[in-house]
Each structure stands twice: as C-alpha cells, then as structure tokens.
Amino acid sequence: MDFSITKKQQMIRKITREFAETYIAPVAEESDKNSQLDPNVFKLIKEMNYFGICIPRKYGGAGLHNDTISFAIIVEEIGRVDASWAITVGVHCSVVAYPLYIFGTEEQKQKFLIPLATGEKLGAFALTEANAGSDAAGIETSAVLDGDEWVLNGSKIFATNGGIAKTLLVAAKTGQRGRKSIFSVFIVDTDTKGFSVGVKEDKLGVRASNTSELVFQDVRVPKENVLGGVGNGYQIVLKILDFGRILIAAQCVGLGQAALEASVKYANEREQFGRKIGKFQGIQWKIADMGCAIESARLLTYKAAYMCDHGMDYGLASSMAKLVASEAAMQATHYAVQIHGGYGLMKAYQVERFFRDAKVAEIYEGTSEIQRMVIANRLLRQTF
C-alpha cells in the first residue's frame, strides 16, 4: 500500500502553496474584514485555471478530472491561507462545473461548462431553503412545464457564490408521486428575467465568501436546461453532495494545518515562566492531538478522492472525510486560540479567523449530525 502522492501531485502542491502564500495570504485578513473577495485574486485564480480543476482540457479545464487527489490538494493549499477562497473555488468546481461535466449533454457542456471551466463565469449550487436544510427532499421551489419552458418559483438561502454567480444549478419540485416529491435540477443563467439576489448573509466565518438568498419569480428556463433528465434530481443531488464533501474535507485539512503551523511557531517563540511554552506538557499534548487529527483527516480525504478516481463507491468515505476533517479543523483551531492565549482572541493573529472559519465547516455541506446519520445508515446496510 503506497501512501505517497505522485511527483505531479507534489508539483501541484508546491505551485499552489507558492501561489496562495504570494497572492491570497496578503489580502486574506482584509477580505475577511470587508466580507468581499479580492478581484485581483479572482483574475489570478482564473489565470491559474483553478476554476477548471475537475474539467477536461477539451472544455477549457485543467484536465484533472481523473485526479481528485490533485483537486483536494489544491483546495487544501488554498484553504491553508484562506478558507473563503477555498470554498469559493471548491464549490464552483465540485458542485457546479463537475456535475455539468458528469451529467450534462454535449450541448449543455458547450454552452455552460466551458465558461465555468475557463473562469469566465462563476457557478453556484442552489438547494437549501428556509424549510429544507438538512432535509433536502423537503424543497418547495417549484418548476412547472409551460410549452417548451419550465417556470421556476420559490427561493433559496445560504447559496455559496450565489450573489456573484452567473450560472446556477437549481433543485426544484417537478412532480409528486403519492406523498413523495419528485424534483429535477435546472441550469439557470442569472441574467434570466425574474431572477434576483436577495439578502447577502453576514456570517461568523468564511466571511469573504459570498453567501446569498436567491429569488425565482416566474423564471422561464428552456426544456433543454434540465440536468440529467426530468425527475432525476434527488439522485443527482446525492451524487453532487458526495463529491462536494471531498471539497469541504480538503478545505478543513488546509485550515487545520494552518492552525497547527501557527501554534507550533508560537509555542517555539513565546516564553513564560522562563522557558518556551512549547516545553510545557499542557501545550505539547495539544500540539500532538492537533497533528494526529489533521493527518487522520488528510488520509481519509485522500482515500475518498482515490476511490472516486478509481470508479469505486466513495459516498461513505466522503461523508467520513467531511465529518472527521471538519471536527479536526474545529479542534485544531480551538487549541490554536488556547495556545495563543489572549493574543488568540485578537484579529492581529490569524488563529482568530481560523477559529471562526472552522465552525462553519461543521454546518455546511451536511452538518456533523447529518454526516453521522449518513455514515450509520450506510454501515448498517453493509454485510461484513
């Protein structure tokens, strides 16, 4: 069993780390303060082809569609300096561009995927509603067929990239079978009449990442904009979420790694009672626990990515990775603040931002409670 990454993946890590430290890290604090992504970084990420990580070159992507480990590494390294950019790029790639590549028709790929892969347009996935969070099947946004068009009505909340996206994947009800709702996924251009952006959320963490309410009032969508066929929305959404959880896990690994590195540096510099605080067992145990948690999360994340690349059923692994990585990041950032003491509460030190960012990851893309339900249900169906 080989736990090493390839030379190409090592190079991707090196390049992405240098890029993130050079261009993203210097503006991360200001972006967090302003709750807005830096437009210059956006241009640079576009030039690096990070918006097309999971897409073949023929559609304008980076050609890493069969290398999800590299995708995880890129998100991890960006997340190491700024979780907001990690989630912005990751959501665009994993739950918008990649599903279009997997489920889209050739016409849909030519029209919608290429602008997403090249970074000409940003994507968002619209699923969550006021009364349909963890219970995704409870969505109420509706789509009614009228001639050659579907008419969408309803609203979505907490849409990452929602307020700045140009292309949306929208889950909407398209029928009813007994007591069970049937829904489909629609590709929606945000300049379509009847669409509007509602409230932009003011969040605890990942503040620079845009999270917005989306409103659909008689939005007319051509029949050819249905992704994966009418009535297949639930199955498609589940597969989208499986892949998206690898993204969140990778982001959390990077965030936890940043907290660990900051804590080691501080523990080796800060003196109290006549010696470096890293010499005290209370600090050492925290550092040890952080290291173990982050490395465990990294291995689970890479395993899920490996399984995805080899055509294996990776849903269980991605849920495990998301759960373990988000809770590892929360533990690591919690300890980082504690190790920094009073300075850990100050915005002059990055661990304060890391702590806030980590909490969000235990909520989005399926809460820790939902992950445990998913994991338990899958395990209970297995034959050992």
Side-chain angles (χ1 to χ4, degrees):
M1 186 175 292
D2 185 2
F3 287 94
S4 63
I5 59 175
T6 66
K7 288 185 178 180
K8 179 181 178 181
Q9 290 163 346
Q10 291 172 14
M11 179 186 68
I12 287 172
R13 182 186 296 282
K14 181 177 183 294
I15 291 171
T16 307
R17 177 167 294 196
E18 290 175 354
F19 173 83
E21 290 183 342
T22 302
Y23 299 108
I24 302 178
V27 297
E29 294 296 331
E30 191 68 17
S31 297
D32 177 79
K33 179 181 177 181
N34 296 333
S35 296
Q36 187 171 351
L37 296 167
D38 188 294
N40 293 322
V41 174
F42 195 103
K43 294 175 184 176
L44 292 168
I45 286 179
K46 177 182 173 182
E47 291 173 6
M48 292 293 289
N49 211 357
Y50 287 149
F51 288 120
I53 301 168
C54 306
I55 307 303
R57 295 186 187 278
K58 66 179 286 189
Y59 298 115
L64 298 175
H65 50 292
N66 292 320
D67 189 0
T68 309
I69 291 177
S70 285
F71 171 51
I73 289 170
I74 291 170
V75 173
E76 176 187 341
E77 290 300 326
I78 294 174
R80 180 175 162 270
V81 300
D82 190 351
S84 288
W85 266 116
I87 193 65
T88 299
V89 172
V91 161
H92 168 92
C93 292
S94 68
V95 297
V96 187
Y98 188 71
L100 268 167
Y101 167 60
I102 295 298
F103 300 108
T105 64
E106 185 60 30
E107 290 74 18
Q108 289 171 345
K109 292 174 185 177
Q110 291 295 328
K111 183 176 181 179
F112 297 105
L113 180 56
I114 292 175
L116 290 170
T118 58
E120 295 298 323
K121 293 183 177 181
L122 191 68
F125 177 46
L127 175 65
T128 303
E129 300 180 4
N131 295 317
S134 295
D135 180 14
I139 62 172
E140 296 174 355
T141 295
S142 65
V144 178
L145 187 61
D146 181 20
D148 290 332
E149 296 177 317
W150 289 90
V151 183
L152 273 64
N153 280 285
S155 63
K156 301 289 184 177
I157 61 171
F158 304 158
T160 301
N161 299 346
I164 55 177
K166 298 299 182 183
T167 302
L168 309 174
L169 294 188
V170 183
K173 283 179 60 175
T174 50
Q176 193 82 19
R177 185 180 295 121
R179 299 174 62 183
K180 183 179 179 182
S181 296
I182 300 170
F183 61 96
S184 306
V185 176
F186 296 87
I187 309 166
V188 179
D189 211 323
T190 58
D191 62 4
T192 305
K193 183 180 178 181
F195 170 78
S196 62
V197 177
V199 176
K200 178 187 175 185
E201 301 296 345
D202 187 11
K203 307 189 298 295
L204 169 75
V206 289
R207 291 180 54 79
S209 163
N210 182 284
T211 305
S212 298
E213 175 190 24
L214 308 178
V215 181
F216 304 86
Q217 294 180 313
D218 293 329
V219 174
R220 304 186 76 88
V221 179
K223 283 200 302 186
E224 56 267 26
N225 282 25
V226 177
L227 183 68
V230 176
N232 295 326
Y234 189 70
Q235 291 75 21
I236 291 173
V237 164
L238 290 181
K239 291 184 182 297
I240 289 174
L241 293 176
D242 281 346
F243 192 73
R245 283 165 183 156
I246 297 176
L247 137 74
I248 303 299
Q251 176 207 32
C252 290
V253 170
L255 185 55
Q257 182 67 35
L260 173 61
E261 291 175 14
S263 298
V264 168
K265 182 176 184 294
Y266 188 80
N268 284 327
E269 293 174 351
R270 173 71 166 168
E271 287 192 11
Q272 289 287 275
F273 305 104
R275 54 179 172 163
K276 308 293 187 189
I277 64 170
K279 298 294 184 181
F280 292 100
Q281 189 178 69
I283 301 298
Q284 291 175 347
W285 283 12
K286 285 181 172 61
I287 296 289
D289 288 346
M290 292 164 72
C292 289
I294 295 306
E295 190 59 23
S296 298
R298 180 178 286 111
L299 289 171
L300 263 176
T301 302
Y302 290 5
K303 178 184 177 181
Y306 174 90
M307 292 175 70
C308 175
D309 289 337
H310 287 78
M312 303 164 71
D313 182 0
Y314 64 93
L316 175 60
S318 68
S319 282
M320 287 181 170
K322 196 275 179 181
L323 173 64
V324 170
S326 62
E327 295 195 346
M330 191 69 247
Q331 179 191 31
T333 56
H334 175 199
Y335 281 174
V337 170
Q338 196 70 19
I339 289 168
H340 281 71
Y343 291 112
L345 305 176
M346 306 302 161
K347 290 188 180 294
Y349 284 76
Q350 290 183 319
V351 294
E352 180 270 345
R353 171 167 58 92
F354 296 160
F355 179 77
R356 290 186 286 106
D357 289 347
K359 184 63 225 175
V360 182
E362 290 187 309
I363 305 294
Y364 57 26
E365 204 74 23
T367 64
S368 292
E369 291 77 14
I370 287 295
Q371 299 310 320
R372 285 184 166 88
M373 287 174 58
V374 170
I375 292 165
N377 287 335
R378 287 177 183 261
L379 289 174
L380 288 166
R381 293 199 306 267
Q382 284 188 1
T383 302
F384 295 98

